[in-house]
Amino acid sequence: DIVMTQSPDSLAVSLGERATVNCRSSQSVLYRSNSKNCLAWYQQKAGQPPKLLIYWASTRESGVPDRFSGSGSGTDFTLTISSLQAEDVAVYYCQQYYTDPRSFGQGTKVEIK
Amino acid sequence: EVQLVESGGGLVKPGGSLRLSCAASGFTLSIYTMHWVRQAPGKGLEWVSSISTSSSYISYADSVKGRFTVSRDNARNSLYLDMNSLRAEDTAVYSCAREGSRPGVGDAFDIWGQGTRVSVSS
């Protein structure tokens, strides 16, 4: 099974500043047939289901603000919020969809400093 | 509107059973692989099970294997999760999720339901 590990568990960032969340997989999630990484990022606000932000490690889902970006390849990935807004307070999860079980990271709580 | 709505949750005693349902609307369920994901109180997301479009491929987390059974009725645009031999550690909000249909080994979960709460307690 692929284990997903996020860091940090929580972070507090000032409004307008950059927030960075890291995710590491225990083995590569690069799908060689299309050279894409099977890695997604989700945002979960309190009392709501998760919302897909990023897929293929770096492609934004339709309607997601461009302050959200994803990067990385192989086993190391990053979600960056370039200018934190109040509405971005949430828990963020990475997930690999390379193989079953479709494991999630433990989550990173992003708050306003 | 594309939507998933779960139902069937509730309070059940250890060792008991429940059947969860997930009703899809606004899209054709039959062309999507579907998943169940759960979230224990105050905890993170845990993938539970997946079922392919024709039910030919089914997969379970080790924590529920042998106790839970996923199924679907494409004609009714519905997904199900039969849960038996329930334990206290199965207490969670259970959500169904749609896997996107982009080509590749798999895809991210692009649509999620609000979830239905399952509590296992004596």
Side-chain angles (χ1 to χ4, degrees):
Chain A
D1 296 359
I2 298 177
V3 177
M4 307 299 291
T5 304
Q6 292 181 226
S7 62
D9 289 333
S10 66
L11 75 159
V13 175
S14 300
L15 286 172
E17 295 300 305
R18 179 185 301 261
T20 301
V21 181
N22 301 299
C23 175
R24 175 166 289 176
S25 57
S26 60
Q27 62 190 75
S28 175
V29 297
L30 175 64
Y31 183 49
R32 296 196 181 279
S33 294
N34 61 7
S35 299
K36 293 183 183 294
N37 290 278
C38 302
L39 190 286
W41 288 97
Y42 301 89
Q43 175 193 63
Q44 187 178 33
K45 297 182 179 180
Q48 296 184 19
K51 172 189 174 184
L52 177 62
L53 296 177
I54 303 279
Y55 58 93
W56 294 136
S58 61
T59 303
R60 265 188 307 275
E61 177 74 331
S62 175
V64 173
D66 60 7
R67 64 180 180 273
F68 291 93
S69 64
S71 63
S73 185
T75 61
D76 290 281
F77 302 93
T78 300
L79 173 71
T80 302
I81 309 172
S82 60
S83 176
L84 191 74
Q85 304 300 303
E87 60 265 33
D88 301 334
V89 169
V91 179
Y92 293 84
Y93 295 92
C94 63
Q95 181 210 24
Q96 64 81 19
Y97 49 92
Y98 183 77
T99 187
D100 289 344
R102 306 285 185 94
S103 40
F104 292 89
Q106 80 274 18
T108 295
K109 187 174 186 178
V110 174
E111 300 174 302
I112 305 295
K113 185 187 292 182
Chain B
E1 181 190 3
V2 173
Q3 195 171 238
L4 294 168
V5 178
E6 302 89 342
S7 60
L11 175 63
V12 61
K13 289 181 167 54
S17 300
L18 273 179
R19 176 177 240 212
L20 305 184
S21 300
C22 169
S25 59
F27 69 98
T28 303
L29 185 75
S30 63
I31 65 174
Y32 293 94
T33 292
M34 297 296 294
H35 299 261
W36 286 98
V37 177
R38 68 184 181 183
Q39 189 167 30
K43 302 297 184 183
L45 303 171
E46 180 187 13
W47 175 84
V48 172
S49 180
S50 68
I51 183 168
S52 63
T53 55
S54 61
S55 305
S56 58
Y57 177 79
I58 287 173
S59 183
Y60 298 98
D62 285 345
S63 56
V64 307
K65 202 172 293 183
R67 300 187 299 123
F68 290 12
T69 302
V70 64
S71 61
R72 63 193 295 162
D73 185 337
N74 289 335
R76 295 179 183 271
N77 250 22
S78 293
L79 175 73
Y80 305 100
L81 186 67
D82 288 299
M83 304 187 297
N84 297 312
S85 304
L86 282 162
R87 306 166 180 166
E89 54 265 35
D90 295 318
T91 294
V93 172
Y94 286 73
S95 298
C96 56
R98 186 183 84 171
E99 179 175 334
S101 58
R102 286 172 282 260
V105 68
D107 202 350
F109 300 173
D110 61 355
I111 302 295
W112 294 68
Q114 288 283 343
T116 185
R117 190 173 302 273
V118 172
S119 296
V120 184
S121 174
S122 54

